[in-house]
Amino acid sequence: MTPQLQMAIKLLQLSRLELVEMVQQELESNPTLEESETVETPEETPAETPEAADAREITMEESFDERLDWQQYMDEYSSTGRVHYESEEKEAPNYEAFTASRTNLYDHLRWQLLMTRPTAEQEAIGSLIIGNLNKYGYLDVPLEDVAQMAETDVSQVKDVLYVMQTFDPPGICARDLSECLLIQARQFGIVDPVVEALLRDHINNLENKRYQVIARELKCSMETLSAAIELIRQLDPRPGFRYGDEDQIYITPDVYVYREGDDYIVMLNDDEIPQLHINSYYRQAVRKGEPIAKDTRTYLRDRLRSAEWLIKSIQQRRRTIYNVMVSIVKFQRDFFDQGIAHLKPMVLRDVAEDINMHESTISRVTTNKYAHTPHGIFELKFFFNSSINRADGNTIASASVQEEMRKIIAGENPKKPYSDKKIADMLEAASGIRIARRTVAKYREIMGVLPSSKRKQP
């Protein structure tokens, strides 16, 4: 493959953020490549006559308030654009001293620990406890290990731990799920013997939805048990997670699809992607044979060629993404009109044949690219689905089957959730979709839906 083709293929499979990063690196390393600056062209206005100019100046002078001493105003206005007031001398804030940092769990807990005015030994124990918390806020090591590291007694570690379990966020520094939720219940003032018994002795039964067993052992009604479980659902099983270092990733679409009348418009998102051009000085210096050293001329030619390839490859990438999205809209018109339930089966070959490109090219285009549609933001790969046969001989996309399953599960009785076999039978009866029970289980796992035994409510 030629270097230009290699670059085109490389750019095609990059995500939007990766492309922006690569372009910035090229701008820094290639002196012949520059970022275009979009300059707004002022609207042309007819030339003013001297009379009109004089009239405009008179009007401006008359608009000034004569009571305002403009000379004093200009004298008070500093060269840095700040006004000094009488009997007041203030320096402008040093904006470089302001930082946008996010408080992590370690700093948050250590600050609270120091607020308790601990002794040197207590501070050392507390720091060890904080350092051994996992990302969910649980203490991962036995107290004996903490005591050994701090060279102190286990009783001292327990005393510090119990103090730290009163810190924010509620439930922090617990050693297991039961202790975490019990700490939160106490801090929130939940005084209920059923709730306490559930958290202390029946966590495993709760996880496995064994409500009849719990009600029988606690000798309480299902209504009382249901109310207690609803209170427990308000507690946070991962109190330290909100202070994690993982930043949320926000998806920026590569392409927008808007509806206008009875048609759809495809628009590429070029925000944050620099508009590139080649430096005219270097281009002319190489073309006009300026007296440049041979090594320098060879270097500039290579850099100019690389810059041209990059600009052409970016344009080719834009055209390819646009053509692929237009083809997707054509094949999946029912989806754009009516939603996910009307998504059609489609493979890479369909689009490849439509726009005269290879399937591998379509695969690269649809990787890590997202489209904003009237029904939400979807990865381009979402529109390519395997087909499921209906009873009437027609086919339906697998994503549409999952959407039908989601509707069925949303409408089930929480006390008697549908089994996978029941869902398969309902799909065939209602929509003529024939799939096996194991296929329902597979789709359910993809959707993040628990099995019926775990979905059952008291």
Side-chain angles (χ1 to χ4, degrees):
M1 292 190 296
T2 63
Q4 183 176 358
L5 181 58
Q6 292 177 8
M7 179 176 289
I9 293 175
K10 179 181 179 181
L11 292 185
L12 201 57
Q13 59 193 9
L14 292 180
S15 67
R16 176 184 172 79
L17 293 178
E18 292 169 340
L19 176 64
V20 172
E21 183 178 355
M22 178 188 176
V23 170
Q24 292 295 342
Q25 291 175 354
E26 287 293 324
L27 284 169
E28 294 174 3
S29 62
N30 191 339
T32 67
L33 194 64
E34 292 182 343
E35 182 176 354
S36 302
E37 295 183 1
T38 55
V39 180
E40 295 184 1
T41 305
E43 296 182 0
E44 295 184 359
T45 56
E48 293 182 342
T49 62
E51 292 80 9
D54 293 340
R56 178 170 51 81
E57 291 174 0
I58 291 171
T59 304
M60 290 177 64
E61 289 176 359
E62 291 175 349
S63 67
F64 291 152
D65 189 350
E66 295 179 355
R67 293 171 296 177
L68 179 61
D69 187 347
W70 289 98
Q71 186 60 43
Q72 180 183 0
Y73 173 81
M74 296 304 297
D75 291 339
E76 290 179 346
Y77 198 84
S78 69
S79 60
T80 58
R82 184 169 56 89
V83 178
H84 294 275
Y85 297 94
E86 294 182 3
S87 68
E88 185 179 87
E89 287 295 331
K90 293 183 180 180
E91 292 185 358
N94 180 11
Y95 292 103
E96 294 181 356
F98 292 89
T99 57
S101 60
R102 182 178 178 182
T103 303
N104 56 35
L105 183 62
Y106 180 89
D107 293 337
H108 185 56
L109 294 179
R110 181 160 176 78
W111 172 76
Q112 294 178 80
L113 175 65
L114 295 177
M115 291 297 102
T116 64
R117 296 183 178 180
T119 64
E121 183 182 22
Q122 291 171 339
E123 182 180 349
I125 295 172
S127 296
L128 284 171
I129 291 175
I130 296 172
N132 284 281
L133 298 179
N134 62 24
K135 65 180 180 180
Y136 300 126
Y138 290 88
L139 181 60
D140 269 346
V141 299
L143 297 185
E144 291 77 12
D145 292 353
V146 177
Q148 185 178 359
M149 289 185 284
E151 298 180 353
T152 187
D153 299 329
V154 176
S155 60
Q156 294 289 336
V157 176
K158 286 183 177 179
D159 292 341
V160 175
L161 179 65
Y162 292 151
V163 172
M164 296 181 65
Q165 287 179 345
T166 65
F167 289 175
D168 178 77
I172 202 69
C173 299
R175 287 162 286 185
D176 53 41
L177 177 62
S178 175
E179 186 177 39
C180 174
L181 299 181
L182 281 169
I183 292 171
Q184 293 182 57
R186 286 196 293 268
Q187 291 192 20
F188 294 147
I190 300 176
V191 182
D192 189 321
V194 177
V195 170
E196 184 174 350
L198 283 172
L199 297 178
R200 191 180 302 279
D201 304 318
H202 296 280
I203 285 291
N204 289 334
N205 287 332
L206 275 177
E207 292 177 353
N208 293 285
K209 311 287 186 178
R210 297 170 183 161
Y211 301 126
Q212 296 291 345
V213 174
I214 297 174
R216 185 168 58 253
E217 292 188 5
L218 295 182
K219 298 179 180 179
C220 66
S221 65
M222 293 300 294
E223 289 76 12
T224 301
L225 179 61
S226 179
I229 292 174
E230 189 59 33
L231 281 175
I232 293 174
R233 283 203 183 98
Q234 310 305 315
L235 306 179
D236 186 0
R238 304 182 298 178
F241 191 71
R242 74 185 75 166
Y243 292 94
D245 296 330
E246 295 87 356
D247 294 329
Q248 285 186 319
I249 300 176
Y250 297 92
I251 295 175
T252 303
D254 297 84
V255 60
Y256 291 88
V257 181
Y258 297 107
R259 180 161 191 162
E260 186 170 310
D262 295 332
D263 205 355
Y264 289 93
I265 297 176
V266 176
M267 296 180 60
L268 295 176
N269 183 8
D270 290 329
D271 293 345
E272 299 180 3
I273 300 179
Q275 302 298 317
L276 305 176
H277 73 275
I278 296 175
N279 184 288
S280 58
Y281 172 78
Y282 290 116
R283 184 197 295 271
Q284 293 175 6
V286 172
R287 287 183 177 179
K288 291 184 178 181
E290 297 289 338
I292 305 174
K294 183 178 180 180
D295 293 344
T296 303
R297 184 181 298 277
T298 302
Y299 170 77
L300 288 177
R301 281 177 176 170
D302 290 341
R303 295 293 85 198
L304 285 169
R305 189 181 300 111
S306 177
E308 290 176 355
W309 289 347
L310 178 61
I311 294 173
K312 290 179 180 178
S313 297
I314 291 177
Q315 293 302 322
Q316 179 64 33
R317 179 183 185 272
R318 294 180 73 257
R319 285 194 298 269
T320 305
I321 294 176
Y322 177 83
N323 291 335
V324 168
M325 195 67 235
V326 169
S327 181
I328 290 175
V329 172
K330 181 173 68 174
F331 282 108
Q332 298 290 1
R333 180 62 185 254
D334 290 344
F335 161 81
F336 287 94
D337 287 341
Q338 304 178 58
I340 298 177
H342 297 270
L343 196 68
K344 292 181 179 179
M346 186 172 68
V347 295
L348 296 174
R349 187 185 304 110
D350 296 331
V351 174
E353 293 176 352
D354 183 47
I355 61 177
N356 296 320
M357 286 189 173
H358 197 274
E359 290 182 40
S360 61
T361 303
I362 308 303
S363 178
R364 292 187 183 95
V365 171
T366 56
T367 301
N368 295 324
K369 312 292 189 308
Y370 293 86
H372 180 279
T373 74
H375 304 290
I377 297 177
F378 299 91
E379 188 178 8
L380 297 192
K381 283 186 177 295
F382 169 81
F383 298 102
F384 298 87
N385 285 271
S386 58
S387 60
I388 304 294
N389 293 325
R390 291 180 182 265
D392 57 5
N394 294 324
T395 59
I396 185 173
S398 56
S400 298
V401 176
Q402 294 177 32
E403 183 66 16
E404 292 295 329
M405 287 177 53
R406 186 177 287 106
K407 293 178 181 178
I408 291 174
I409 294 172
E412 69 184 3
N413 184 351
K415 297 183 178 181
K416 294 181 180 180
Y418 299 131
S419 64
D420 293 343
K421 180 65 170 61
K422 178 65 174 177
I423 294 175
D425 294 340
M426 294 177 69
L427 285 172
E428 183 174 3
S431 306
I433 302 172
R434 291 180 177 175
I435 56 175
R437 179 199 59 80
R438 61 180 178 273
T439 306
V440 173
K442 172 183 151 184
Y443 287 169
R444 181 174 46 73
E445 291 177 1
I446 293 174
M447 296 160 55
V449 177
L450 296 172
S452 58
S453 59
K454 301 281 187 179
R455 300 197 307 272
K456 187 176 181 181
Q457 302 296 331

